Amino acid sequence: MIIILGHIHIPPADVGNFMDDIQAITPVIGDESGCYHYAVALKDAEQGQVVVAERWRDQPALGAHLAKPETVALMAKWDGKLQADIHKFDASNMRGLFDQAL
């Protein structure tokens, strides 16, 4: 499983437009094969801070998402207009939050 976590920093004046763009493609992403979770949330509009959290079945599913026309168009539109501190993690031992066993 692939976990994507991080922050995006956007000029505060652009936050509304960016979040509108995210909301427009979110339903499409949620229906993609291998997408277990996709969320982009506004953390602080005045500071232009956005949080990203995603969970994908595997790298091929994430790769297919990144190659989709909607994703490519969004990234091209916002290229150079934001700073992203987003990381990808491999996860192999998923369990419930309160499960004690490793």
Side-chain angles (χ1 to χ4, degrees), residues 2 4 6 8 22 32 42-43 49 54 57 62 96 98:
I2 304 291
I4 307 292
I8 296 172
I22 291 295
E32 289 181 35
L42 183 58
K43 181 177 180 182
Q49 295 177 349
E54 304 176 28
R57 179 185 59 234
L62 176 59
F98 296 104

Side-chain angles (χ1 to χ4, degrees), residues 21-94:
D21 287 350
I22 291 295
Q23 289 178 347
I25 69 166
T26 296
V28 174
I29 295 168
D31 289 338
E32 289 181 35
S33 175
C35 179
Y36 296 149
H37 178 80
Y38 181 86
V40 178
L42 183 58
K43 181 177 180 182
D44 186 331
E46 291 180 8
Q47 297 296 314
Q49 295 177 349
V50 176
V51 177
V52 176
E54 304 176 28
R55 190 164 55 108
W56 295 88
R57 179 185 59 234
D58 52 24
Q59 184 61 48
L62 176 59
H65 159 68
L66 293 173
K68 286 194 75 122
E70 296 89 351
T71 305
V72 171
L74 179 74
M75 292 191 314
K77 178 178 179 178
W78 290 97
D79 185 40
K81 299 176 186 173
L82 53 80
Q83 294 178 341
D85 182 22
I86 301 173
H87 300 278
K88 176 172 61 173
F89 302 89
D90 297 302
S92 61
N93 189 23
M94 187 174 79

